[in-house]
Amino acid sequence: MKKTDTILASNSPRRKEILNQIGINFKIIPSQVNEHSNLDYSPNKFAEYWSIIKTQKVSKMFQNHIIIGADTIVCINNKILGKPSNKKDSVKMLNKLSGSTHKVITGVSIACYKENIFKTFSETTKVIVKNISKDQINYYVNNFKTLDKAGSYGIQDFFSVWIEKINGCYYNVMGLPISKFYYNYNLIKNKLSNK
C-alpha cells in the first residue's frame, strides 16, 4: 500500500505536542463531535466510546488515512469529570480534586477505514493532589486555561505544583498515553506497509 497520511481527529494542543515529540507527521482535522455524559458506561468504556465516535466520523471522510481519535476524562470516586462549562464549574471540580486521589483515563482509537483496521484501548493514571486553598484555586482558574481540559487542570502547567505523586503514564494525563499509543500505531503502520 502506498504511504498513508495520518490525521489527528482532535484540536488538542497537548496531543499535537505529544505527536510532534515522537516524530509523527500528521494533519489535524477535528471531529467536531458534540460529547455528552448521558451514557451508562464505566469510566474506561466511556472514554473509549468517545474516542471511537470521533475516529469513526473522520475515518468515513478520509478512508485511506490513519485516523487517531482520543478522549480524556478525570474520574474521582467513580464520578466522571469532563471539561468544565464555565469558571464556576472549574472551581467546583478543583475543590473535589483538592487533597484527594483521582484517575485520569484516556481512550484512544486508531483506524484505517478502507483497510477495515480499528484498534481501541484505554490507559489509566492515578494522580494524588495536595490540599489546595480556595485562594489558590481562584488564582489558578483566573490565570490559566481550564475550560478546555478534563477536570479543569493541565498537569503541564502551574497546577503541577499541587501534584504530590502520579502512578502511571504522565503523558496520559496530558491527553495521550505515549508508550501504549506508539506501540499500537506502529503495529498498524507496519500492517499497512505490508499490504
Side-chain angles (χ1 to χ4, degrees), residues 6 10 27 42 46 65 67 75 80 90 92 94 98 103 131 133-134 138 143-144 147-148 164 171 177 179 184:
T6 297
S10 168
K27 293 184 269 191
S42 69
F46 182 94
H65 295 58
I67 313 298
C75 181
I80 295 169
S90 283
K92 193 176 170 184
L94 295 172
S98 173
K103 294 176 183 176
N131 285 311
S133 71
K134 287 184 178 179
N138 286 329
N143 289 277
F144 294 87
L147 301 184
D148 67 336
E164 192 172 306
Y171 293 97
S179 180
N184 284 286

Side-chain angles (χ1 to χ4, degrees), residues 120-188:
T120 299
F121 57 90
S122 59
E123 181 83 5
T124 301
T125 303
K126 283 187 179 177
V127 182
I128 301 169
V129 180
K130 294 178 179 179
N131 285 311
I132 314 169
S133 71
K134 287 184 178 179
D135 286 346
Q136 288 174 319
I137 286 174
N138 286 329
Y139 169 80
Y140 182 72
V141 169
N142 288 320
N143 289 277
F144 294 87
K145 292 180 180 177
T146 62
L147 301 184
D148 67 336
K149 297 175 181 73
S152 295
Y153 77 89
I155 195 169
Q156 71 283 354
D157 65 27
F158 187 78
F159 194 86
S160 59
V161 302
W162 298 309
I163 292 177
E164 192 172 306
K165 187 179 179 182
I166 73 164
N167 183 2
C169 176
Y170 168 85
Y171 293 97
N172 187 50
V173 187
M174 281 181 68
L176 196 67
I178 198 167
S179 180
K180 200 168 187 178
F181 164 77
Y182 192 69
Y183 172 79
N184 284 286
Y185 176 79
N186 275 334
L187 281 180
I188 290 170

Side-chain angles (χ1 to χ4, degrees), residues 84-129:
S85 50
N86 51 46
K87 284 188 177 183
K88 189 179 176 183
D89 200 20
S90 283
V91 169
K92 193 176 170 184
M93 285 187 185
L94 295 172
N95 274 317
K96 281 184 183 174
L97 301 181
S98 173
S100 64
T101 300
H102 65 271
K103 294 176 183 176
V104 179
I105 302 165
T106 300
V108 181
S109 294
I110 310 167
C112 181
Y113 191 91
K114 189 178 179 184
E115 298 299 327
N116 199 29
I117 292 171
F118 210 104
K119 175 73 177 173
T120 299
F121 57 90
S122 59
E123 181 83 5
T124 301
T125 303
K126 283 187 179 177
V127 182
I128 301 169
V129 180

Side-chain angles (χ1 to χ4, degrees), residues 1 4 66 117 182-195:
M1 186 177 172
T4 306
I66 294 175
I117 292 171
Y182 192 69
Y183 172 79
N184 284 286
Y185 176 79
N186 275 334
L187 281 180
I188 290 170
K189 283 283 281 187
N190 291 337
K191 193 173 181 180
L192 290 172
S193 65
N194 290 330
K195 282 188 177 286

